[in-house]
Amino acid sequence: MQKDVDTLWRSILGEAEVVLSDARFGAFWSKLKLVAINENEAVFEVISVFAKAQFEKKEHVYLRELLEKNGVNCEKLTFNVQSSSSRPKVSRETTNESLNAPLNQNWGQQNQNYSQNKNQNLNHPSALSPSPLSAGGLNPRYTFDDFIVGSSNDLAYAASQGVAANPGSKYNPLYFYGGVGLGKTHLMQAIGNEIIKNNPQARVVYVSMETFGNEFLEYIRFKKKGFSEKYRNADVLIVDDMQFITGKEKTQEEFFHTFNFLHQNNKQIIISSDKPPRSIPTLTERLRSRFEMGMAIDIQMPDFETRCAIIASKATMSGVTLNQDVVEYLAEAIKTNVRELEGTLNQLLAQADLNGVEPDLAMVEGVVGNIKHSRPHHITSKKVIDTTAKYFQIKIDELCGNKRDKHIVVPRQVAMYLLRSELKLSFPKIANELGRKDHTTAIHSVEKINKELKLDIMMREHIEAIKGRLYAS
């Protein structure tokens, strides 16, 4: 019977792969598994709580259609997060390999064994005792299984899996860009680890641009041997923080020749930066054109649902299952970047561990309140308006005035969008803050920016840059 189920599922999955986009299939469907078919129920296994939510809310419609097309008519579709029975909890004695285990139970469940887990480590994996890096500089903790996929990074995730499966032949170079703490390094190293898993003989080199530059300087000054061989003998070269190549002419020239050599020999190149190639100051045109010849993908701040999934997964890695109200409160309160989100979660779990209690809503409100009060800059309407005006280099009275010039109208719309998205102000209040009498202007502005964020890369960069300034400590 199980063989029949497996055969049926391979057929359905094959059809889905043909019909669905690469990003959608790679992000959600590729790891979905049909476990059993009962009288009126089909039971599936998913890799994470976020995938579970996606299938329950959206993907179930097409899934049901495919099942019916293949003669399976089930009234109920059940999605279970991969069983925790085979997943060791992360304690202070846990090995590095156990950190690569998939996610645990749904965040809405109560943790029945919390008291038994009090000695477990509460820090993010990267904050634990350092794991040994591979010869290529990769951290084995960074895997695809531990990466939470959402609408902000599903394309990057799908492209990463494509590169890991066929290095050097698909999306070369692969270029990620976005703000700090959004998962660029995790994805790049996950690609490297997956390639080595598939081919242990592959020569994967991971390096930051700062390290590359320093090694190049040592090579020039002290005539150290082996610099070119290290990078040009790689099958996969992964370079983090490319923005630090700014202003370094000789380093740019050396990297240009390294890039050309690898690319011409069908070797995979993966790059990350905090900005797209065209926005890196003093980057030579020949390097810029090469960076843009593959696939450049921007990774944005995760949406609310993805932040919930991140919090739930990080908590379960520490042996704690949080109530849904705690997860949602944290996800709504912390919108800066994933690192701050994880840092706040660590503080919450540490406080709960210290007091020997389960984390609850009152505790998380206190932790978040303390963090917000510790910030030197509290976000206000005035701060949003001032920061937007300075970013676009216009005067505040122009931003709040009546001029309709494009170089003023767009910043004004951005300010209205930020007042709505970051402070949750009402439209009449937004209009009043910007000196408008009619709040329909605010409604139109917010809707316009929301639409542009889906289509215009530059607008996304502007918004993220202003948010970075708003929340900078």
Side-chain angles (χ1 to χ4, degrees), residues 110 322-333 348 351 357-369:
Q110 293 286 343
L322 298 175
N323 290 333
Q324 187 169 351
D325 56 354
V326 172
V327 172
E328 292 183 351
Y329 186 91
L330 265 178
E332 182 61 38
L348 172 67
Q351 184 170 322
V357 298
E358 293 184 22
D360 57 18
L361 192 57
M363 183 178 291
V364 73
E365 287 174 348
V367 170
V368 170

Side-chain angles (χ1 to χ4, degrees), residues 27-28 50 54 147-155 157 302-303 306:
F28 304 115
F50 181 76
Q54 282 295 120
F147 189 81
I148 305 299
V149 183
S151 59
S152 62
N153 57 28
D154 56 353
L155 178 59
Y157 180 81
D303 57 23
T306 312

Side-chain angles (χ1 to χ4, degrees), residues 330-384:
L330 265 178
E332 182 61 38
I334 309 297
K335 302 176 182 178
T336 48
N337 61 59
V338 177
R339 288 175 190 165
E340 181 170 1
L341 191 66
E342 293 176 357
T344 306
L345 174 64
N346 288 340
Q347 290 191 37
L348 172 67
L349 298 183
Q351 184 170 322
D353 182 59
L354 184 65
N355 295 315
V357 298
E358 293 184 22
D360 57 18
L361 192 57
M363 183 178 291
V364 73
E365 287 174 348
V367 170
V368 170
N370 290 338
I371 290 172
K372 287 186 174 180
H373 287 309
S374 68
R375 290 174 179 163
H377 301 291
H378 184 63
I379 307 302
T380 63
S381 298
K382 183 178 184 304
K383 183 172 176 60
V384 170

Side-chain angles (χ1 to χ4, degrees), residues 164-393:
N166 298 288
S169 61
K170 196 171 187 179
Y171 312 136
N172 196 18
L174 181 61
Y175 187 109
F176 296 129
Y177 64 94
V180 298
L182 300 184
K184 300 187 298 297
T185 298
H186 187 145
L187 265 184
M188 292 196 301
Q189 295 214 27
I191 295 172
N193 283 320
E194 187 71 13
I195 289 173
I196 292 175
K197 177 183 175 182
N198 296 333
N199 177 16
Q201 304 305 315
R203 293 166 296 185
V204 179
V205 176
Y206 168 83
V207 66
S208 69
M209 176 45 64
E210 185 176 16
T211 299
F212 181 93
N214 290 338
E215 289 182 2
F216 177 60
L217 288 178
E218 289 186 3
Y219 164 70
I220 293 176
R221 291 176 61 190
F222 305 112
K223 306 298 180 185
K224 285 192 174 182
K225 296 181 179 180
F227 174 80
S228 296
E229 290 78 3
K230 173 182 176 180
Y231 295 107
R232 298 188 191 188
N233 286 338
D235 295 311
V236 181
L237 177 60
I238 305 173
V239 185
D240 214 343
D241 293 325
M242 181 56 67
Q243 69 270 14
F244 291 119
I245 203 171
T246 298
K248 300 174 181 177
E249 295 181 9
K250 293 294 184 183
T251 302
Q252 289 194 34
E253 183 178 350
E254 176 61 28
F255 189 77
F256 170 79
H257 293 305
T258 299
F259 183 103
N260 275 353
F261 181 87
L262 294 174
H263 196 272
Q264 289 168 6
N265 286 279
N266 298 318
K267 306 301 183 182
Q268 182 66 49
I269 303 163
I270 307 168
I271 297 168
S272 82
S273 174
D274 63 356
K275 49 180 69 70
R278 67 176 178 276
S279 299
I280 298 179
T282 72
L283 185 66
T284 61
E285 186 57 38
R286 60 183 184 175
L287 267 181
R288 181 177 291 109
S289 65
R290 278 159 177 77
F291 291 167
E292 293 174 342
M293 68 192 292
M295 188 172 192
I297 305 174
D298 65 322
I299 301 178
Q300 304 169 44
M301 179 65 189
D303 57 23
F304 174 75
E305 289 80 6
T306 312
R307 295 199 299 274
C308 286
I310 291 170
I311 293 165
S313 70
K314 299 305 179 186
T316 57
M317 289 178 73
S318 295
V320 179
T321 301
L322 298 175
N323 290 333
Q324 187 169 351
D325 56 354
V326 172
V327 172
E328 292 183 351
Y329 186 91
L330 265 178
E332 182 61 38
I334 309 297
K335 302 176 182 178
T336 48
N337 61 59
V338 177
R339 288 175 190 165
E340 181 170 1
L341 191 66
E342 293 176 357
T344 306
L345 174 64
N346 288 340
Q347 290 191 37
L348 172 67
L349 298 183
Q351 184 170 322
D353 182 59
L354 184 65
N355 295 315
V357 298
E358 293 184 22
D360 57 18
L361 192 57
M363 183 178 291
V364 73
E365 287 174 348
V367 170
V368 170
N370 290 338
I371 290 172
K372 287 186 174 180
H373 287 309
S374 68
R375 290 174 179 163
H377 301 291
H378 184 63
I379 307 302
T380 63
S381 298
K382 183 178 184 304
K383 183 172 176 60
V384 170
I385 293 171
D386 289 353
T387 303
T388 304
K390 287 179 181 177
Y391 178 82
F392 287 106
Q393 298 181 344

